[in-house]
Amino acid sequence: MKRIPKLALTVGLIAAVYGLFVAVFTYILHLPVPASVMKMYMFFVTVVVLLVMTSNEDSARELVAPLEALVYQPRLRRLRAAVFIVAPLAGFGLTYNVTRPTLDAPLELRTVHPAPPNSVKVFGKTYNLLTLENPYRAKEKSDLEAFRQAVEEGKTVYFQNCHYCHGDKLDGKGHFSGGFNNPLPANFTDVGTIAQLQESFLFWRIATGGPGLPNEGAPWASPMPVWSNYLTEDEIWKVILFLYDYTGYAPRVMKEEKGHS
Amino acid sequence: MKPRNTLFTLARRVLAVSLVALIFAVNGGVAFAAEEAAVAPAGETAIAPVGQPAPVLTEESYPLLGGGSSRVKVWIVAQLHLFFAAFVLGVPIFVLVIEGIGMATGDKRYDAMAKEFIKISMVAFSFTATLGGILLFLLAMLYPDFTVYSLKIFRPILIAYALLFFGESLCLYIYYYGWEAMSSGFGKWVHLTVGLLLNAAGMTLMVLSNSWATFMMAPSGVTPDGAFLGDVWAVMHGPLWNPINLHRFIANIAYGGSIVGAYAAYKFLTAKAPEEKAHYDWMGYTANFIAVVGLLPLPFAGYWLTKELYAYSQQMGITLMGGIFAWLFIIQALLIGAIFLGANYYLWLGLVRVPGGEAYRKAIGWMATVLLVCFLVWFTPHTIIMTSSEIKALGGAHHPVLGALGVMSAKNTAVNIMILTTFLAFLLYQRAGKIPKVGWARGGNAALAALFAAGAANIVTLGIYGYYIPANIRIGLSVPQVFTTLFVIAAASLINGVMYRGASETGPTRWGDMPARSQYALFLLAVSFTWLMGLMGYVRSGIRQHWHVYTVFRDYSPDAFTPTLGYAANVVSVTVLIFMAMVIFIFWLDNFSRKKAAHK
Amino acid sequence: MKTLAQILAFSLMVVGGYSWFSNSIPQLRAEPPSEESVSLEGMTMESFVALGQTIFEGKGTCPLCHNAVGHRAPLLVEAGSDGPPVAARAPSRLADGRYHGTASKPEEYLRESMVSPSAFVVEGFGKPGTGDSVSPMPDVSAGSIKLSPVEIDAVIAYMQSAAGVDITVPLPTEAVETAESAPADEGAVKDMGALAEKYECKLCHIVPGVDMAGEAPDMGPDLNGLKRYAKGAPDKLPLREYLRLSIVEPNRHVAQGFEPDTMPPDFADRMRVSELDLAVESLARAAEGGK
């Protein structure tokens, strides 16, 4: 069996590790890999592979030999010329790609679920978010008909106001969602959103909208309207009912509050 | 002659070790007693302060000197002073040990190398003193109120400091210039004693000046508004003093080793004659060994320091690990990674010069893979930088897989495995070219393999277990992980040492037969060590934030803000470059004097 | 030489790489906290509670430890595994056998917990090794946090509001605040000797009718010769007018032989009207009597 030349082995190894990363994340985990992480990973992979390949003299010589030949060998004239044209061009392309202005929003480190305040002032009243409860929630047990009625009304509120961004399936993929960057409209069907939260948290988020976020939540980035200017208190509670009813999640209640989510 | 010599060495080693231990024990013992005494009156505040409260200043209280930020001036000079101080304190420690080894083995090469090491530190010694003087001058010029405040408290120590400095210089000069005169018989014993005194004076100097820094971080012995209570010992013996003492003691050895390694590398690259090359190759190898041996326990000393820091002030601890300095540790990760890779690469290349080293070449690939995997885990940040389109694709800012690698459980596991792998590289180098004579060699090898496998398995299991328990219990898991690592290192050294006693060699080590790039690994170590020291100096000082003396003496100067990491990194880089220019000057001076001598 | 250049280039590359990387990650700069004082004007209980919350989350740095994630300290304003919010559980703490403070009312308990946290240590949150007898929490009225009594009251009001119990701390009054911040004003002085002492006139001027303790300062004009200076001024004002203006506006006319900008220009702000009258009258009389 013929041995693989060192240079090919080096390039092949680095490419294989890259392929492995991509394969594992795309096809097994179904998750994207952030470019910043990938770049770092590949930088270190390249460094380590080169260190191993040059860790003894024979191997190092074998690795460098083809490159030396490329520069010195008269018979490789054409290849040399090609490389000396292509390499600077590639460098140019790379530099251009890195520095060219893009339409991407600038990077921002933003906390997705900031800690809620303890109370919120809307509709001219102060609500204590620690004890606040949905007035319709109790009806689920006592008066099912009135509860269903409230859910129906919440549904109307949702489709008149919310579904443009949050989607008709409540999955955050409404008509306008393509126009947002970070944050995206929340996907209520995801286990990480309303299923983790109390109804009072939703009340706070809906009533005060994007501008009501604390600083770490980057209030300037969220386009969510301050709904207390457009909806009544009653309508907000009903639409919250609808969100939980449609997705089948139960709101988190106080007694469960233990440890961290 | 020979056995007697060995006996002497043994006695010498025991003596040296016990003296170092004694210094620490006295320190610790007195400290403990003082702590006991200090606990009682703390609740009553019965002591009346003898000093004035820390002054309240305005921006005008800080004189300006030329253009530019006063803080940056003091910062650069203080850091340069510390670079040189760490170097001149670290070198005599291992010089003494090497001299002792030389005396024990009767091998003159050790003696010559020890003398060459100390020679490099001679010029550095005067640089240290000069920079210390400039630092004091700058402090008095730019921060007069702070200088007056601290001098009033530390006045008695300054006298001791001056005396000790005089004593240290005296010891150093006698030690260096008396090397030849006291090279045999009883004279050598005297010489070693002088070396010991030199180290004792140096170490005491270090702990004295450490107390100044630790007082600024975690003041003790003063009232809450900064008035001195009258007991200097209570001021010195703050909660962070001993952790910093230990941390700096170990770091000085590692740092001294790395700088001496750079010196050897420089001499190796410029050497013409083969025997000269061989000498400096061997010197570089020894220096790298010292640097790595110093590096391995350093994370554990760091844990202790951080733990004490949290115990002193949670607020300070969180500022360090989770506040504005959280990102600093990703830079630290890069540097430590570079140091580990550099040290390992040097060891791999070292197999070239050992006949029979080829047998272990295959292991390099595997060790590199383990190192790489650990390093990638070690380097994955907790909060990942993502573009908005990536957040969109992920559906949120939290990456479920990579985010999990960002937590402490993963990092601790990775760094312990990295340490074990580096130790394994050492072990393989030690074994290369030797054939054990003992009958149980096969069993011994199996035991070693089992030891490493079990250790690694234990560390990884503990790391994974950490994901299933709450954060406050998880922190405690780092202790068994560390002990596993230390145990494997100790047990493997023992087994290997016994197994290879009297082993036959396949051939002599070909010192000097090293490719040039191996020497650049040594430079990488020296530069990275220096830079890392500068960075950690910044964070140690920076966690005080807007305080001269934390919680008691506020910084009212225009520089009271905490700078960004990038800004700090640039200052560190400039400082490192100045330091290197000065070091290169010292190397050049050495060559220059030799040329002169050759002419005569 | 070539080797040296190569080493330098290599080192520059490494150092530059580290610098570049450090600059490529998110950059934060922390400003020192501002030391603005709290205005108590028009304070209602609602805004007092809001102030308490601002202090709780900001200057007090309370959530650094008192949060639901780290398990470093019991929760204070939220209900959780530690029970209801702290103001609601205070009565049961006072009844606890392990409590050894001096408070008798929940409000006092809250205040005590902030300034001497070891009076009651919640189980599991003590300093390690002390068997929950010593709290790791600092005294919030000292050290790096240093809340004033009014600020502590505001935090108590906030904690009581968050727990939904009655707010028992009184609204701070103007009187409390002035007693806290401004140095006590001992009132207007009644005689020239005390006035020359209080405003340090004697440091620069020889003041007629005042015990100079043997000193004869010459930084400012000898006030015995006031009439002469008044005459020397270009606008020829009456003596009392001249004197009054010279005190509140010292650079208006600088007597010959003296430097401008020597006398502090802020007496108009510092002196009371009765004191200014006293000074003018007493000095004018002395000057006229010395005629």
Side-chain angles (χ1 to χ4, degrees):
Chain A
M1 196 180 91
K2 210 178 160 232
R3 282 184 60 239
I4 313 163
K6 272 277 144 65
L7 187 61
L9 187 65
T10 307
V11 175
L13 256 178
I14 295 170
V17 175
Y18 180 75
L20 190 72
F21 276 140
V22 173
V24 166
F25 277 97
T26 320
Y27 299 110
I28 300 176
L29 298 171
H30 299 289
L31 287 168
V33 201
S36 67
V37 175
M38 199 63 185
K39 261 185 233 161
M40 270 162 19
Y41 279 10
M42 287 320 294
F43 172 75
F44 292 123
V45 167
T46 310
V47 167
V48 170
V49 169
L50 283 179
L51 289 185
V52 172
M53 289 301 166
T54 58
S55 65
N56 64 68
E57 277 303 75
D58 304 338
S59 167
R61 229 169 280 136
E62 200 186 323
L63 178 69
V64 181
L67 295 175
E68 268 180 351
L70 181 70
V71 179
Y72 295 118
Q73 280 284 341
R75 65 184 166 79
L76 291 176
R77 202 174 55 241
R78 276 155 211 265
L79 185 63
R80 174 160 57 240
V83 167
F84 280 10
I85 290 168
V86 170
L89 277 179
F92 163 75
L94 216 64
T95 314
Y96 175 76
N97 243 339
V98 170
T99 51
R100 107 192 123 92
T102 64
L103 295 175
D104 268 357
L107 298 181
E108 194 159 52
L109 291 172
R110 172 176 179 278
T111 307
V112 184
H113 288 305
N118 291 296
S119 63
V120 58
K121 258 180 255 164
V122 278
F123 303 117
K125 281 184 276 181
T126 301
Y127 295 87
N128 184 343
L129 291 180
L130 299 170
T131 52
L132 189 62
E133 276 173 12
N134 192 335
Y136 293 100
R137 184 56 63 189
K139 292 221 163 68
E140 197 173 0
K141 293 213 176 74
S142 61
D143 186 352
L144 196 60
E145 201 155 308
F147 180 76
R148 296 305 327 165
Q149 178 65 28
V151 171
E152 275 307 305
E153 285 169 29
K155 185 175 178 180
T156 311
V157 174
Y158 182 84
F159 280 98
Q160 281 174 351
N161 299 286
C162 317
H163 95 285
Y164 305 104
C165 299
H166 290 282
D168 49 5
K169 288 183 186 154
L170 281 63
D171 54 2
K173 294 195 176 112
H175 305 76
F176 297 158
S177 66
F180 300 119
N181 272 319
N182 179 23
L184 297 171
N187 170 5
F188 300 126
T189 60
D190 189 286
V191 288
T193 59
I194 60 170
Q196 299 281 335
L197 300 167
Q198 299 163 10
E199 289 187 288
S200 62
F201 188 99
L202 268 73
F203 181 81
W204 166 57
R205 289 302 335 113
I206 296 169
T208 65
L213 284 165
N215 260 349
E216 65 264 33
W220 51 86
S222 165
M224 174 124 158
V226 180
W227 285 108
S228 60
N229 295 339
Y230 308 103
L231 300 177
T232 65
E233 186 186 348
D234 203 44
E235 285 171 325
I236 293 180
W237 285 125
K238 282 174 182 162
V239 81
I240 293 174
L241 283 190
F242 168 72
L243 294 183
Y244 283 107
D245 186 70
Y246 182 91
T247 55
Y249 294 125
R252 196 165 172 171
V253 283
M254 286 307 239
K255 271 169 277 167
E256 287 178 0
E257 187 71 30
K258 241 183 191 166
H260 54 97
S261 52
Chain B
M1 190 65 199
K2 191 113 193 179
R4 187 172 152 263
N5 230 343
T6 321
L7 204 67
F8 272 141
T9 321
L10 204 67
R12 167 133 320 282
R13 269 188 218 171
V14 169
L15 190 70
V17 169
S18 48
L19 230 128
V20 172
L22 189 72
I23 291 170
F24 269 101
V26 168
N27 243 333
V30 178
F32 185 71
E35 200 159 19
E36 293 286 283
V39 166
E44 297 153 29
T45 59
I47 317 163
V50 300
Q52 297 293 315
V56 173
L57 307 174
T58 61
E59 285 198 6
E60 284 72 40
S61 315
Y62 298 87
L64 295 172
L65 184 68
S69 149
S70 299
R71 173 168 63 182
V72 169
K73 288 173 197 146
V74 171
W75 182 352
I76 290 180
V77 172
Q79 192 58 62
L80 282 174
H81 174 62
L82 277 172
F83 284 152
F84 277 107
F87 177 59
V88 298
L89 287 172
V91 169
I93 298 171
F94 54 78
V95 161
L96 188 67
V97 175
I98 294 173
E99 194 190 0
I101 295 173
M103 192 174 166
T105 55
D107 191 338
K108 280 285 166 209
R109 288 185 309 161
Y110 282 106
D111 205 61
M113 180 164 71
K115 193 184 171 197
E116 195 165 357
F117 281 166
I118 205 81
K119 192 175 95 183
I120 310 164
S121 80
M122 289 292 286
V123 184
F125 186 75
S126 57
F127 275 171
T128 314
T130 313
L131 283 163
I134 298 175
L135 175 62
L136 195 61
F137 168 77
L138 276 181
L139 276 176
M141 284 289 289
L142 300 171
Y143 295 90
D145 296 282
F146 169 70
T147 311
V148 168
Y149 172 78
S150 31
L151 286 186
K152 270 185 190 159
I153 294 177
F154 284 94
R155 194 182 299 147
I157 296 179
L158 285 179
I159 300 163
Y161 193 89
L163 288 175
L164 273 165
F165 190 80
F166 183 70
E168 196 197 5
S169 327
L170 203 71
C171 288
L172 182 65
Y173 290 135
I174 297 175
Y175 190 60
Y176 176 65
Y177 290 108
W179 200 291
E180 303 303 331
M182 295 183 281
S183 59
S184 58
F186 184 70
K188 195 69 183 165
W189 282 103
V190 176
H191 190 246
L192 280 163
T193 313
V194 173
L196 203 61
L197 283 175
L198 167 65
N199 273 304
M203 196 117 61
T204 320
L205 268 183
M206 181 189 80
V207 299
L208 285 187
S209 42
N210 284 352
S211 72
W212 199 339
T214 53
F215 171 73
M216 287 169 72
M217 292 169 75
S220 54
V222 291
T223 62
D225 58 358
F228 178 40
L229 287 172
D231 182 4
V232 188
W233 175 249
V235 172
M236 286 173 65
H237 183 252
L240 301 183
W241 190 42
N242 274 328
I244 287 262
N245 285 344
L246 178 70
H247 199 280
R248 282 193 169 164
F249 171 73
I250 299 175
N252 286 350
I253 299 177
Y255 185 61
S258 78
I259 298 295
V260 168
Y263 168 79
Y266 168 70
K267 300 294 274 186
F268 178 89
L269 289 177
T270 50
K272 300 274 183 324
E275 59 271 21
E276 213 183 329
K277 263 194 156 26
H279 173 70
Y280 286 113
D281 183 18
W282 177 63
M283 189 189 224
Y285 167 77
T286 314
N288 179 54
F289 180 80
I290 294 165
V292 174
V293 165
L295 175 68
L296 295 188
L298 212 47
F300 309 138
Y303 280 141
W304 186 35
L305 177 57
T306 317
K307 186 174 153 280
E308 292 297 316
L309 209 138
Y310 261 99
Y312 164 69
S313 161
Q314 291 216 5
Q315 204 181 355
M316 203 182 221
I318 296 173
T319 304
L320 175 70
M321 302 303 293
I324 68 158
F325 291 108
W327 281 92
L328 179 128
F329 288 91
I330 207 74
I331 309 177
Q332 190 208 24
L334 173 74
L335 280 144
I336 291 187
I339 289 173
F340 267 109
L341 281 181
N344 274 283
Y345 185 57
Y346 185 79
L347 286 171
W348 300 340
L349 279 167
L351 288 174
V352 169
R353 55 165 114 82
V354 186
E358 300 82 9
Y360 288 107
R361 267 188 204 172
K362 245 183 256 152
I364 291 175
W366 292 109
M367 291 194 296
T369 310
V370 173
L371 272 183
L372 178 64
V373 170
C374 289
F375 191 36
L376 294 188
V377 171
W378 168 248
F379 199 76
T380 307
H382 188 43
T383 310
I384 293 161
I385 307 172
M386 286 192 270
T387 63
S388 44
S389 50
E390 282 166 352
I391 294 179
K392 200 178 255 184
L394 196 60
H398 180 76
H399 199 289
V401 174
L402 294 177
L405 296 182
V407 301
M408 219 45 204
S409 283
K411 308 271 183 230
N412 278 341
T413 309
V415 82
N416 275 293
I417 300 280
M418 263 159 83
I419 290 176
L420 273 190
T421 312
T422 308
F423 172 70
L424 183 65
F426 254 119
L427 208 64
L428 293 186
Y429 180 82
Q430 296 275 308
R431 294 158 61 109
K434 295 193 187 114
I435 302 155
K437 280 280 152 68
V438 288
W440 47 273
R442 194 178 266 276
N445 279 335
L448 279 175
L451 189 66
F452 271 94
N458 192 33
I459 291 168
V460 173
T461 313
L462 283 171
I464 293 171
Y465 176 59
Y467 283 98
Y468 294 97
I469 52 175
N472 52 342
I473 309 175
R474 190 187 308 151
I475 293 167
L477 280 184
S478 65
V479 178
Q481 283 186 325
V482 164
F483 274 110
T484 310
T485 307
L486 292 180
F487 175 76
V488 170
I489 290 179
S493 307
L494 191 74
I495 297 176
N496 203 59
V498 175
M499 203 164 106
Y500 277 84
R501 180 171 285 172
S504 66
E505 292 190 12
T506 46
T509 307
R510 297 185 295 264
W511 291 111
D513 190 6
M514 276 288 260
R517 60 180 179 282
S518 67
Q519 305 303 309
Y520 283 93
L522 292 180
F523 286 123
L524 177 74
L525 277 188
V527 173
S528 302
F529 256 117
T530 313
W531 209 91
L532 182 59
M533 241 175 93
L535 182 77
M536 297 324 274
Y538 155 68
V539 66
R540 185 196 59 69
S541 199
I543 49 175
R544 279 183 288 124
Q545 300 207 288
H546 54 281
W547 298 93
H548 286 313
V549 180
Y550 193 63
T551 73
V552 306
F553 189 170
R554 192 178 155 128
D555 183 351
Y556 293 91
S557 73
D559 291 327
F561 66 93
T562 310
T564 62
L565 286 176
Y567 179 86
N570 293 346
V571 175
V572 170
S573 288
V574 168
T575 315
V576 169
L577 290 176
I578 298 175
F579 173 72
M580 287 187 23
M582 292 169 87
V583 166
I584 286 174
F585 172 73
I586 295 177
F587 292 176
W588 173 83
L589 211 63
D590 176 59
N591 259 8
F592 190 56
S593 69
R594 270 176 209 219
K595 269 183 198 153
K596 271 278 160 83
H599 271 289
K600 277 179 190 168
Chain C
M1 212 56 214
K2 192 180 151 215
T3 317
L4 206 63
Q6 277 170 344
I7 295 169
L8 268 178
F10 176 77
S11 310
L12 266 174
M13 203 178 72
V14 173
V15 169
Y18 290 151
S19 242
W20 171 81
F21 178 74
S22 308
N23 279 287
S24 73
I25 57 180
Q27 302 289 315
L28 284 171
R29 177 176 139 154
E31 299 294 340
S34 60
E35 286 189 300
E36 61 207 61
S37 57
V38 178
S39 159
L40 295 177
E41 225 153 288
M43 180 73 75
T44 62
M45 193 43 91
E46 192 110 324
S47 55
F48 194 49
V49 168
L51 170 70
Q53 180 173 8
T54 314
I55 295 168
F56 186 88
E57 285 158 6
K59 188 179 176 189
T61 63
C62 315
L64 209 55
C65 302
H66 295 280
N67 64 47
V69 182
H71 294 283
R72 292 194 180 89
L75 296 176
L76 296 181
V77 290
E78 307 96 315
S81 51
D82 307 309
V86 65
R89 64 179 184 252
S92 67
R93 298 305 192 208
L94 288 171
D96 197 302
R98 284 172 54 243
Y99 175 73
H100 55 269
T102 56
S104 56
K105 281 185 283 189
E107 178 197 326
E108 288 166 8
Y109 170 78
L110 293 177
R111 190 172 290 113
E112 184 181 57
S113 303
M114 286 194 264
V115 298
S116 51
S118 295
F120 182 86
V121 182
V122 178
E123 236 165 291
F125 290 114
K127 261 193 182 169
T130 61
D132 288 341
S133 66
V134 180
S135 167
M137 174 169 154
D139 173 359
V140 301
S141 65
S144 68
I145 300 175
K146 219 171 221 162
L147 300 185
S148 72
V150 173
E151 289 171 323
I152 291 181
D153 277 354
V155 172
I156 295 177
Y158 166 60
M159 291 196 292
Q160 289 181 327
S161 149
V165 301
D166 288 338
I167 298 173
T168 57
V169 280
L171 267 182
T173 57
E174 209 61 48
V176 175
E177 181 64 358
T178 42
E180 287 306 324
S181 55
D185 188 337
E186 56 272 47
V189 292
K190 296 284 180 332
D191 70 290
M192 192 56 207
L195 190 125
E197 192 76 43
K198 180 175 176 185
Y199 294 105
E200 298 176 326
C201 314
K202 286 164 33 175
L203 283 182
C204 306
H205 298 282
I206 296 175
V207 188
V210 167
D211 173 24
M212 294 300 294
E215 300 280 329
D218 58 356
M219 194 112 77
D222 177 353
L223 298 182
N224 285 306
L226 264 175
K227 266 193 109 167
R228 192 158 45 82
Y229 293 121
K231 277 203 185 117
D235 42 11
K236 305 275 187 280
L237 287 172
L239 177 63
R240 285 180 171 72
E241 206 65 358
Y242 168 79
L243 197 47
R244 188 181 299 273
L245 279 173
S246 294
I247 295 175
V248 300
E249 210 180 305
N251 285 335
R252 195 174 150 276
H253 172 237
V254 180
Q256 205 182 351
F258 295 95
E259 289 292 316
D261 293 324
T262 312
M263 180 159 158
D266 60 347
F267 286 118
D269 297 331
R270 286 161 56 197
M271 285 171 105
R272 301 207 165 191
V273 178
S274 65
E275 290 174 334
L276 188 59
D277 286 344
L278 171 70
V280 170
E281 199 50 40
S282 131
L283 288 175
R285 270 195 204 152
E288 280 161 351
K291 181 162 57 176

